[in-house]
Amino acid sequence: SLRQISQRTISTASRRQFENRVPEKQKLFQEDNGIPVHLKGGVMDALLYRVTMGLSVFGTAYVVYQLLVASMPKKQK
């Protein structure tokens, strides 16, 4: 029965037909419109870019802060 289930899911999954959108995407990404390639995908690309840059800046600042904290000698009581 397990063999039938696995064969059924494989055979039904292969029947699905998806529209080929590769030529559309190639045209979009090859268009010379002055937008960097990492932002040509639209709003979601811009959002991911800004989140990544924000996390990078925050992470760098936090590392510098921790290095400064680690370089200061602790006070003796």
Side-chain angles (χ1 to χ4, degrees):
S1 88
L2 183 60
R3 184 178 296 166
Q4 288 175 346
I5 292 172
S6 64
Q7 287 177 349
R8 190 175 304 144
T9 42
I10 291 171
S11 64
T12 56
S14 64
R15 286 188 212 160
R16 296 181 187 153
Q17 295 294 322
F18 294 104
E19 182 184 348
N20 185 8
R21 297 186 318 198
V22 172
E24 296 170 21
K25 293 290 185 182
Q26 285 176 337
K27 189 176 180 181
L28 172 73
F29 282 94
Q30 291 175 357
E31 186 178 325
D32 187 18
N33 55 5
I35 299 174
V37 71
H38 61 276
L39 296 176
K40 284 191 177 186
V43 175
M44 205 53 196
D45 279 354
L47 180 66
L48 286 172
Y49 175 75
R50 288 187 177 139
V51 167
T52 302
M53 285 298 113
L55 287 172
S56 297
V57 168
F58 174 75
T60 302
Y62 185 71
V63 166
V64 169
Y65 169 75
Q66 287 298 324
L67 284 171
L68 287 173
V69 168
S71 68
M72 300 292 175
K74 293 189 178 194
K75 294 181 180 177
Q76 299 289 334
K77 287 187 177 184

